[in-house]
Amino acid sequence: MFTTDILLKLSTLQSYCEEHKASNVSGDFAAMIDPLRSAVNTYFDDVPKSLKYDFMNYITQIATDIQKRHTTYEHQFGPDLSTD
């Protein structure tokens, strides 16, 4: 999931750089981006599956917390949520 998203962004970046390359710029963008692409693959291949799940769960909890803090109800009930 994360790997494919990042690799897609890297490919988009590489395409953009190649399309908008200034005439005085020399070099191969693939040669510059390939080491980063390899590092991304290596990093995400070494991450334990349980850590990936925990990270996704953490993102969900942050989103839920943000939603709770910024939601107001027409009829308030119960104690206010902690903001710390």
Side-chain angles (χ1 to χ4, degrees):
M1 178 177 155
F2 295 118
T3 310
T4 54
D5 293 342
I6 294 171
L7 294 176
L8 178 63
K9 292 292 183 184
L10 287 175
S11 295
T12 303
L13 174 64
Q14 179 181 345
S15 297
Y16 178 86
C17 291
E18 290 169 351
E19 290 172 13
H20 296 86
K21 180 176 166 181
S23 59
N24 61 344
V25 174
S26 63
D28 180 18
F29 289 104
M32 290 186 270
I33 292 179
D34 281 342
L36 179 56
R37 190 176 281 127
S38 176
V40 166
N41 281 322
T42 301
Y43 176 78
F44 282 103
D45 286 345
D46 291 341
V47 175
K49 294 209 182 293
S50 63
L51 183 60
K52 288 180 184 179
Y53 172 78
D54 291 341
F55 187 66
M56 289 171 28
N57 189 28
Y58 179 68
I59 291 171
T60 302
Q61 289 184 8
I62 289 174
T64 302
D65 181 61
I66 291 169
Q67 181 181 9
K68 284 181 181 179
R69 289 174 191 260
H70 297 287
T71 300
T72 54
Y73 297 95
E74 183 177 351
H75 302 288
Q76 291 290 340
F77 57 93
D80 290 336
L81 295 173
S82 173
T83 56
D84 57 359

